[in-house]
Structures are given as C-alpha cells and as structure tokens.
Amino acid sequence: MSHINVSINGRQYRMACEEGQEVRLVKLAESLELRIGSLRGKFGEIGDARLTVMAALTVCDELLDAGQRIRSLEEELEALRDVRMAAADHARMTQTAVANALNSAAERIEKTTQVLNRTIGGGVAIG
C-alpha cells in the first residue's frame, strides 16, 4: 500500500492507494481540484463544503451520463453483432445456393455432352 499527499481545495490530504496507482490518484485529485476551481470561478466563494458537494455532484452527473452512453453503445454493438450474424448466415446460404446451381449446371452440361457424344459417335461410320 502506498501513501501520497494530494491537494484538494487548498487542503493537503494523505491518501492510501495500491502500488502503481499513485499517478492515477494524483490525476484524480487534480481533476477534482480543477472542478472546484471552475465552480469557484462561476459562483465565487460559497463555502468549501458546498463547492466540494457541487464538484462531487458534477462528477456523479458525468458518471451517470457516461453509464447511459455505455449502455446505449452496448445495445448498438449487440444490434450490429446481430446484423453481422444475419449477414454471415445470408452469405453462407447464398454461397450454398450458388454452389448448388453451379453443380446442377455442371451436371446438365455433362449430360448434354454425353448425349452429343452418343449422337455424333452413333452417326459417324468408321471404316
């Protein structure tokens, strides 16, 4: 477990995090600090607790929106997977139909060739 100091709203906090997560925690604290600074710029000095709560609500709002976008994209992805599967099935069926048509045409050509060979072979006198 690592410990780092972060500054949020002008105050220092000693925070614990897992090894390797120090940079991420610093970035999170910086992001929160920026949000609080932005709110302070919009609303002035309205109290530390209120600024912190407003920043937290802003983050929660963005998180909720992101979750809804993720769900929407997951639904869209699932629909696209279904379309892809249907297209693949259709392509397989088309490929089978074309192969069957070609085989049928080859059989008819072979039968026609046999008939022609018998007709030509039977009508020619050798000798």
Side-chain angles (χ1 to χ4, degrees), residues 11-30:
R11 293 198 174 105
Q12 291 291 320
Y13 296 92
R14 184 161 173 79
M15 307 293 291
C17 64
E18 292 185 25
E19 295 290 331
Q21 294 298 311
E22 298 87 357
V23 172
R24 181 171 175 83
L25 183 56
V26 168
K27 288 183 179 182
L28 291 170
E30 288 171 352

